[in-house]
Amino acid sequence: MHFVDAKRILSAHNGMNLYRGCTHGCIYCDSRSECYQMQHDFEDIEVKQNAPELLERALRSKRKKCMIGTGAMCDPYMHCEEELRLTRRCLELIDEYGFGVTVQTKSDRILRDLDLLQSINRKAKCVVQMTLTTYDEDLCRIIEPNVCTTKRRYEVLQIMRENDIPTVVWLSPILPYINDTRENIEEILAYCREAGVYGIICFGMGVTLRKGDREYFYAALDRHFPGMREKYHCRFGYDYEIPSERSGELMKYFRDFCRDNHIVNNVEKIFAYLHEFPENKGYEQLSLF
């Protein structure tokens, strides 16, 4: 990893990425795409070492409290966070200044900061987002090799529920011919129901591939799924959107399941919920259970 001084830390929509790159090794990661113009190896993590100072300055200058988001482009709980603790320092500031937070991760390292998440949620609002793609543990270790498996992420969701912290799941991506089975979707959704998630974000059953991301993905197919690269080439060529042939069936099951179990699946409604800051300090949190 290497260290830089960033010029700013919050985006126009109050999102922050404390790192650039990732060490989780997920074979489908869109953040590898060349369009993001990363000037270093993806696993050579760029650390925005002055992020806490920039965040404190930004929070002090805001006229109105809001939700602060992290994890959209890189996971805030990568391996280096154990040592650097940038995410924890930023959560401490969010807690101190009375803002809300939404954290997107695949890692159970988030449990280290459960005390801060609880405190933020008591004072304002905290939402934890987790990505679930693959129920089968062995397959999950291939697709997302350097991060905890889906079962452990489900356990994290359960712990959040026990602490009254609302959760949202990203059901994405679903890889054609690999994890786009009815059984996989059924089991992941069962996890979501048992964990009492507020909502599930799913843009469709499939994956997107761009230059940079596509090459890494195809190399992984060659290593772990012999012949699969050729199958993708024949079916999809160099398309950006790679839909599952089962997309219609799986999306119907997904929508029906969410309706029957009172789980929000309207993406716009979920995003509005993630950005909605409670105006009153002692807000009455929406009952999820």
Side-chain angles (χ1 to χ4, degrees):
M1 60 185 170
H2 62 281
F3 296 82
V4 300
D5 284 326
K7 294 182 179 179
R8 58 179 297 179
I9 197 62
L10 288 185
S11 70
H13 299 289
N14 299 308
M16 63 179 182
N17 289 293
L18 308 178
Y19 305 105
R20 287 197 78 190
C22 190
T23 51
H24 288 343
C26 303
I27 69 173
Y28 52 73
C29 183
D30 177 70
S31 295
R32 292 181 180 274
S33 302
E34 288 185 2
C35 64
Y36 299 117
Q37 300 180 328
M38 194 170 294
Q39 302 300 314
H40 54 87
D41 289 341
F42 194 69
E43 286 77 15
D44 176 19
I45 306 302
E46 180 178 283
V47 180
K48 299 177 185 179
Q49 60 186 351
N50 61 334
E53 292 80 6
L54 292 175
L55 178 62
E56 183 167 23
R57 190 184 310 161
L59 297 182
R60 280 179 172 176
S61 68
K62 285 190 176 295
R63 296 181 180 179
K64 191 174 181 181
K65 300 290 175 63
C66 64
M67 298 293 290
I68 305 298
T70 188
M73 284 297 296
C74 67
D75 198 308
Y77 287 102
M78 290 182 292
H79 304 80
C80 61
E81 172 61 19
E82 293 182 7
E83 172 189 351
L84 299 176
R85 301 170 69 87
L86 273 185
T87 299
R88 182 167 181 88
R89 286 161 63 194
C90 289
L91 288 176
E92 288 171 343
L93 290 168
I94 292 168
D95 184 39
E96 178 183 348
Y97 285 92
F99 284 73
V101 73
T102 176
V103 182
Q104 185 176 345
T105 184
K106 291 188 180 87
S107 175
D108 59 353
R109 292 186 186 91
I110 192 173
L111 295 176
R112 179 202 64 186
D113 296 336
L114 183 59
D115 61 327
L116 285 171
L117 302 180
Q118 291 171 317
S119 180
I120 293 169
N121 200 46
R122 283 194 300 268
K123 297 174 183 177
K125 177 180 174 183
C126 171
V127 184
V128 171
Q129 305 174 64
M130 297 210 84
T131 299
L132 306 182
T133 68
T134 309
Y135 176 77
D136 182 276
E137 294 287 281
D138 292 332
L139 183 58
C140 184
R141 291 186 182 96
I142 294 173
I143 293 174
E144 299 157 344
N146 303 325
V147 69
C148 65
T149 61
T150 298
K151 183 178 181 181
R152 178 56 175 161
R153 287 176 234 170
Y154 159 67
E155 292 170 352
V156 171
L157 292 171
Q158 288 276 40
I159 291 170
M160 296 302 163
R161 177 183 185 177
E162 292 164 4
N163 286 276
D164 297 322
I165 295 172
T167 55
V168 167
V169 161
W170 288 71
L171 181 58
S172 174
I174 301 300
L175 308 177
Y177 314 122
I178 297 175
N179 64 350
D180 62 336
T181 65
R182 174 71 174 257
E183 179 185 11
N184 183 51
I185 302 304
E186 287 177 349
E187 297 292 355
I188 290 175
L189 292 180
Y191 272 162
C192 293
R193 176 181 58 210
E194 292 163 18
V197 304
Y198 167 81
I200 304 174
I201 295 173
C202 180
F203 293 102
M205 300 294 170
V207 64
T208 58
L209 295 177
R210 294 190 259 211
K211 187 171 176 57
D213 169 24
R214 181 185 294 109
E215 288 76 9
Y216 188 86
F217 178 69
Y218 280 167
L221 294 187
D222 284 339
R223 288 195 304 273
H224 301 292
F225 307 97
M228 188 65 74
R229 175 206 281 257
E230 289 73 19
K231 196 169 184 178
Y232 267 69
H233 269 306
C234 291
R235 176 67 178 83
F236 305 110
Y238 289 89
D239 291 348
Y240 168 62
E241 294 186 359
I242 312 296
S244 167
E245 293 176 353
R246 300 186 174 101
S247 182
E249 167 203 345
L250 297 179
M251 284 302 295
K252 183 180 186 307
Y253 178 79
F254 165 70
R255 294 190 184 103
D256 291 347
F257 182 95
C258 290
R259 180 199 64 220
D260 295 343
N261 291 277
H262 310 290
I263 298 172
V264 179
N265 68 87
N266 181 290
V267 174
E268 291 183 1
K269 183 174 181 179
I270 296 173
F271 283 160
Y273 173 73
L274 294 173
H275 285 93
E276 181 183 13
F277 182 84
E279 295 300 327
N280 299 319
K281 179 180 177 182
Y283 81 109
E284 182 178 352
Q285 187 174 328
L286 176 66
S287 175
L288 306 180
F289 320 120

